[in-house]
Amino acid sequence: MHEIRKFIDTISPMNNSDWDFFSSKLQEVKFKKNTTLLQIGKVENYLSFISKGIIRLYIPRVESDLTFGFLFDNEFVTAYDSLLTQSPSEYQIETLTETILWKISNKDLQEVYEKTNNGNIIGRKMAENMFLIKSKRELSLLSRTAEERYLDLFSDRPNLLQQIPLKYIASYIGVTPQALSRIRKRIT
């Protein structure tokens, strides 16, 4: 739980009583590799902090899934659009490694926003950060070549190469595994 406090304090430090209130709402949950955290069509009810692990966000397809996000240690994970609207998710979330999460329910999160001094500030800054990540990804898909997206991905997140199957990386940058193989041969 120390990791969450440290992370939140970088956004907007919480006083001890607010932290005690917030942390009392958190639940630690452990998952095995390849566990589905949220199925398509289900409503997201949690915001989770990744204490340890790698998580993938994707749209399941018969031929090959469409991966659009990876999340790592010390990041938050949620189907944010489903959480906000309380409508069924249009994508799935799964663990790629053994994972430890600290979860807070949407109901408890709303209570933290209402009853703490800076809960709303933290929530707003997290939403802004999610928007910036999404915007950067969309602009990259529209304006960069597949090779540039691949190189950008590893300059931003060098730990991806060793820990994530290449078929998911290929899907994330918008190419087939065969095209990714050709890109990798060209740049090595």
Side-chain angles (χ1 to χ4, degrees), residues 7-15 117-119 121-122 125:
F7 180 80
I8 286 175
D9 283 347
T10 65
I11 298 169
S12 179
M14 282 187 139
N15 64 46
N117 289 326
N118 59 348
I121 294 168
I122 293 166
K125 287 187 177 184

Side-chain angles (χ1 to χ4, degrees), residues 18-111:
D18 284 353
W19 170 253
D20 290 343
F21 180 74
F22 172 67
S23 63
S24 74
K25 306 290 185 183
L26 296 171
Q27 174 190 8
E28 183 183 32
V29 188
K30 297 177 182 180
F31 297 97
K32 293 182 180 180
K33 179 179 180 178
N34 299 323
T35 300
T36 300
L37 301 178
L38 180 69
Q39 289 185 324
I40 196 166
K42 300 290 184 185
V43 174
E44 177 66 90
N45 289 308
Y46 294 94
L47 173 66
S48 300
F49 181 83
I50 305 167
S51 180
K52 175 188 172 206
I54 301 173
I55 292 177
R56 172 173 84 116
L57 292 81
Y58 69 102
I59 300 168
R61 296 282 191 232
V62 174
E63 289 184 23
S64 62
D65 298 340
L66 300 173
T67 300
F68 64 90
F70 298 108
L71 297 161
F72 302 90
D73 297 1
N74 300 318
E75 293 183 321
F76 282 96
V77 61
T78 188
Y80 197 53
D81 47 349
S82 176
L83 184 75
L84 289 175
T85 63
Q86 287 297 281
S87 59
S89 177
E90 296 184 39
Y91 51 92
Q92 292 195 172
I93 302 174
E94 76 172 353
T95 63
L96 294 181
T97 62
E98 287 187 7
T99 300
I100 301 171
L101 300 178
W102 288 93
K103 296 171 45 165
I104 185 168
S105 72
N106 191 30
K107 177 184 169 287
D108 287 342
L109 183 61
Q110 298 309 315
E111 195 174 349

Side-chain angles (χ1 to χ4, degrees), residues 32 47 68 91 96 100 119-120 122 124 147 157 162 170-171 178-179 185:
K32 293 182 180 180
L47 173 66
F68 64 90
Y91 51 92
L96 294 181
I100 301 171
N120 275 319
I122 293 166
R124 187 195 84 230
E147 188 170 314
R157 302 206 177 199
Q162 297 85 10
S171 173
Q178 296 79 8
K185 281 181 186 174

